[in-house]
Amino acid sequence: MSQEPLFFDDLAVGDRFETGTHELSADDIKRFAGEFDPQPFHLDDEAARETIFGGLAASGWHTAAITMRLLVTGGPKLANGIVGAGGGIEWKTPARPGDILHVDSEVIELIPSRSRPDRGIVVMRSTTFNQRGEVVQVLTPKLMLARRAA
């Protein structure tokens, strides 16, 4: 990751960024679920075995939160931070206890603002993988990013 902040004008379609990793534990999964998504397949190993997940699975929102943390701490250093302006999220396979997650991001579109010349929208595809290379989540945010002063 570059130490210098990146502005809209510094990016090009196809630019790629990779984060560090985060290991997920059963305790982490249960703690997050207990506060934010208290469903049996996130809270109880035995109950989870009887669901479509077939075992304890992290909440998709937990995966999204880990993805955000990885992007903020090890993704592209954007000039004004990671400021969302919409987007989409897909959960492909559940994150499980012991999974080691990392995120690969690619710039897929750059949209200069017509009404605010000091900024633009960067569309990224941020794919969260586990240690087996399985896609856990695909996040496609639209990020508002400052342009360099003219």
Side-chain angles (χ1 to χ4, degrees):
M1 177 176 84
S2 170
Q3 295 297 41
E4 291 297 315
L6 296 169
F7 289 83
F8 180 87
D9 310 278
D10 299 327
L11 297 172
V13 171
D15 284 351
R16 299 182 75 82
F17 307 91
E18 186 173 334
T19 70
T21 62
H22 177 88
E23 186 168 355
L24 192 56
S25 73
D27 287 343
D28 294 336
I29 290 170
K30 292 174 185 178
R31 186 173 28 259
F32 183 95
E35 189 168 354
F36 299 107
D37 192 356
Q39 299 186 74
F41 38 84
H42 301 318
L43 292 168
D44 182 272
D45 298 288
E46 190 173 318
R49 282 193 287 279
E50 303 301 318
T51 70
I52 60 170
F53 295 107
L56 194 66
S59 166
W61 299 113
H62 190 182
T63 303
I66 291 168
T67 297
M68 185 65 179
R69 172 67 185 231
L70 288 169
L71 289 170
V72 169
T73 60
K77 184 178 178 185
L78 302 179
N80 53 270
I82 298 176
V83 179
I89 191 167
E90 301 173 63
W91 292 291
K92 300 295 193 174
T93 191
R96 306 278 186 174
D99 276 355
I100 300 170
L101 305 178
H102 77 276
V103 182
D104 290 342
S105 297
E106 180 180 5
V107 175
I108 59 174
E109 189 175 5
L110 295 165
I111 308 164
S113 175
R114 290 188 301 262
S115 61
R116 312 274 312 257
D118 63 332
R119 65 190 73 173
I121 296 291
V122 178
V123 183
M124 303 271 277
R125 181 181 305 111
S126 295
T127 306
T128 305
F129 294 93
N130 63 23
Q131 72 281 5
R132 292 178 298 282
E134 298 168 331
V135 175
V136 175
Q137 175 186 278
V138 178
L139 175 66
T140 311
K142 295 176 181 178
L143 305 173
M144 186 175 15
L145 186 56
R147 297 192 78 165
R148 289 197 178 274

